[in-house]
Amino acid sequence: AVPAGAAASMGNGTSGESVDDASTFRLKLDRNVEAQDLAKFEQLWKNCHNSRRDEHGQSRKVPQTGKTYDSQLISEGVFGPLTKMIGSSDPAFRIAGIKVAQTFFEEDAAVKLLRKMDFKGAVLVLTLPPKAENDQVRVLTEAEIIEQQSRAVFAAEVLCSMADVGRQKPEKEGEEPESFEFDLTQTDVLNFLAVTLVQVPQAEEIVGHCLRKLASNQQHLPILLEAAIGDILESYFKTVKYEKPIKKEQLETWKRSTRALAHTADCLSQFVKYEYPCQVDEKVMFSVFEKASDAKLLAEMTRLFFWMCRHCEDIFDFVLRCAPINTGTANSSTKAKLEKSVNILADLWNDRCLKVFSLCEAVDKNPELGKEG
C-alpha cells in the first residue's frame, strides 16, 4: 500500500476530470518541472490520483493493456523529471518529489530507479544543517532548529516506509522482490537514525519503528551492532519515562515515548534471541512491569523477558538482578529481591493480564461495551 503521508499529499483528485494517458501526463510533467512550478506539479499528481488508485488504495489497471497506470507512467519516463525534483537544491521541491516517489513503492521498476539514483541519500540531504557563506556550519536560529527537526521527522517517516518495501510481496519465479534493505543498512542511514532517536523527541517513535523493521531480519543484526545501534538502544532503554502522566498536555509525549520504548524492547529481544551481545538493564524491565500501563509496551517487555530467561545461565540469579531495588539499601537482601521480583510478576498476571482478558471476553459477548470505551 502507498505510505499514508504520501497518499495524503497526493489528494483524491476531482471527480469528472478528463484522465490523461501516460504520454500526455509525461509532457505536462516535463513542462511543470522545467518551469519550476511547484503548485502545478502537485496539482498534476492530485488530478491523476483516481487514475492510479482504486477505492481501496491499490494500483489501478488500465483495461486496454492489463498493466497498472503507474507502470505505464514509468515506461513513459516520468522518473526523468521526477528525479530532477528529488535532486533539487530547493527543499520544498525535493520534499514534493520524494512524496510522489513514495507513491510508486509498489512498482519494482520504480524501486530499481530510485535505488539507482540513491533515493535514501536524497532523503538524508534534507536533514543537513544550513551552512554559512564560507561553507562552514553556523549556529542555527530557533526557527531553523524547528525546521530541521521537522525535516528529520519527515526523513524518518520516509525511511520507515522504505523499510516496508518488498516485505510482503510474493517472490516472482524465484526472484526476490525489489527492496531498500541494503540501502537502509548503510552507515549514513544508521547514523542518522541513531542521532535522531536521541536528539529529536518528535521522531523517536518513528525511528524506533524503523529500527524494529530492520532488526526483524536476522541478517541485519550484526550490521546494526557494528553501527553501535545496540549501544544506542541500550542507553535509550534506560531513559524513557513510561509512567502515565497526570497532566493532559503531557499525554501525547508519553504515548510517543512508550511506543518508542516498545519498539526498542522488540529490537533488543531480537539481539538476545539470536545471542548477540546485548546489555539490558533488567531493573528497568521489571520497573515497567510494575508501573507501566500501556499494553503494547508490557507485551514487548514480556517478550524481552522471555528471551532473556531462555538464554540466561542462572535463572535464580537473573530474577534477583531484575528486582528494582538498589544494592546497599535496607531491602536489598536476597530474600527481599526475590520477593519483589516474584510479586511484580504475580501482579502483572493478576492485575493486568487476567483483567484485560476478562474485558476482552465481555466485549466479545457484548460489542456495545467496546463502543462505550
Side-chain angles (χ1 to χ4, degrees):
V2 176
S9 71
M10 293 301 98
N12 292 321
T14 304
S15 58
E17 290 187 62
S18 60
V19 178
D20 293 325
D21 59 42
S23 179
T24 303
F25 182 91
R26 165 67 196 272
L27 292 174
K28 290 183 178 181
L29 182 62
D30 278 331
R31 289 197 295 267
N32 292 338
V33 173
E34 289 300 323
Q36 296 189 336
D37 193 327
L38 182 58
K40 287 186 177 179
F41 173 86
E42 292 177 333
Q43 189 61 47
L44 184 64
W45 287 102
K46 287 180 181 179
N47 290 345
C48 80
H49 177 85
N50 289 337
S51 300
R52 301 179 62 201
R53 300 286 177 264
D54 61 22
E55 61 274 16
H56 304 295
Q58 301 301 313
S59 294
R60 189 186 293 278
K61 291 186 177 182
V62 179
Q64 298 88 333
T65 64
K67 296 181 179 179
T68 64
Y69 187 72
D70 278 2
S71 67
Q72 291 190 335
L73 290 176
I74 296 170
S75 297
E76 286 295 332
V78 296
F79 269 80
L82 192 55
T83 298
K84 292 181 180 179
M85 292 290 290
I86 295 171
S88 173
S89 59
D90 186 324
F93 281 77
R94 184 182 290 261
I95 289 172
I98 289 171
K99 286 181 177 179
V100 171
Q102 284 183 274
T103 66
F104 281 91
F105 280 178
E106 289 184 354
E107 299 287 340
D108 280 354
V111 176
K112 285 182 180 180
L113 291 170
L114 289 170
R115 293 195 63 207
K116 186 176 181 179
M117 64 154 289
D118 188 23
F119 182 66
K120 57 90 175 172
V123 174
L124 293 179
V125 167
L126 283 170
T127 68
L128 297 178
K131 294 184 178 180
E133 293 181 0
N134 59 1
D135 207 34
Q136 298 295 315
V137 177
R138 58 179 172 80
V139 177
L140 302 183
T141 64
E142 184 175 349
E144 288 175 328
I145 292 174
I146 293 174
E147 178 62 22
Q148 284 299 113
Q149 291 176 337
S150 176
R151 291 184 192 175
V153 172
F154 173 74
E157 289 173 340
V158 176
L159 294 173
C160 193
S161 68
M162 289 169 66
D164 285 327
V165 175
R167 285 163 61 95
Q168 298 178 350
K169 288 183 180 179
E171 292 188 8
K172 297 179 181 178
E173 298 179 359
E175 295 182 5
E176 292 186 2
E178 287 291 327
S179 76
F180 292 104
E181 284 197 2
F182 177 81
D183 308 69
L184 294 176
T185 52
Q186 297 305 294
T187 303
D188 53 354
V189 174
L190 296 179
N191 285 346
F192 164 75
L193 293 174
V195 171
T196 304
L197 177 67
V198 176
Q199 296 185 0
V200 186
Q202 303 93 317
E204 59 184 345
E205 179 189 355
I206 305 162
V207 171
H209 197 187
C210 186
L211 290 173
R212 175 179 186 162
K213 292 175 183 178
L214 296 178
S216 66
N217 185 333
Q218 184 184 354
Q219 296 178 349
H220 294 161
L221 298 179
I223 301 173
L224 297 178
L225 286 176
E226 187 176 341
I229 294 298
D231 295 336
I232 296 293
L233 292 175
E234 290 166 13
S235 176
Y236 178 80
F237 187 80
K238 302 176 184 178
T239 62
V240 179
K241 296 179 180 179
Y242 44 80
E243 293 185 65
K244 189 174 183 178
I246 298 176
K247 297 181 179 180
K248 290 184 178 180
E249 59 269 22
Q250 297 176 339
L251 282 176
E252 285 304 313
T253 300
W254 168 76
K255 289 179 182 178
R256 186 182 63 224
S257 296
T258 52
R259 289 168 189 153
L261 183 56
H263 293 317
T264 300
D266 183 78
C267 290
L268 293 174
S269 69
Q270 283 291 98
F271 290 126
V272 175
K273 176 181 178 179
Y274 293 108
E275 300 186 77
Y276 285 96
C278 179
Q279 300 296 321
V280 177
D281 191 323
E282 301 96 341
K283 288 183 173 61
V284 171
M285 184 170 54
F286 264 55
S287 185
V288 168
F289 288 154
E290 184 179 27
K291 302 174 183 178
S293 57
D294 183 81
K296 177 67 173 176
L297 175 58
L298 291 170
E300 298 299 350
M301 283 292 177
T302 302
R303 188 207 306 269
L304 176 58
F305 176 62
F306 168 79
W307 285 112
M308 293 182 73
C309 285
R310 284 284 302 269
H311 292 292
C312 71
E313 295 182 359
D314 187 330
I315 188 67
F316 182 79
D317 181 63
F318 171 64
V319 172
L320 288 180
R321 294 200 310 272
C322 288
I325 299 175
N326 294 327
T327 302
T329 62
N331 295 321
S332 62
S333 66
T334 298
K335 180 181 179 182
K337 288 182 177 180
L338 184 60
E339 287 181 348
K340 182 70 172 178
S341 293
V342 172
N343 286 336
I344 287 174
L345 291 175
D347 290 342
L348 176 65
W349 176 254
N350 292 322
D351 296 339
R352 314 281 181 82
C353 298
L354 293 182
K355 287 183 178 179
V356 170
F357 181 72
S358 298
L359 179 61
C360 290
E361 280 191 319
V363 172
D364 188 51
K365 293 178 181 178
N366 183 5
E368 292 299 318
L369 293 175
K371 297 179 182 179
E372 295 173 4

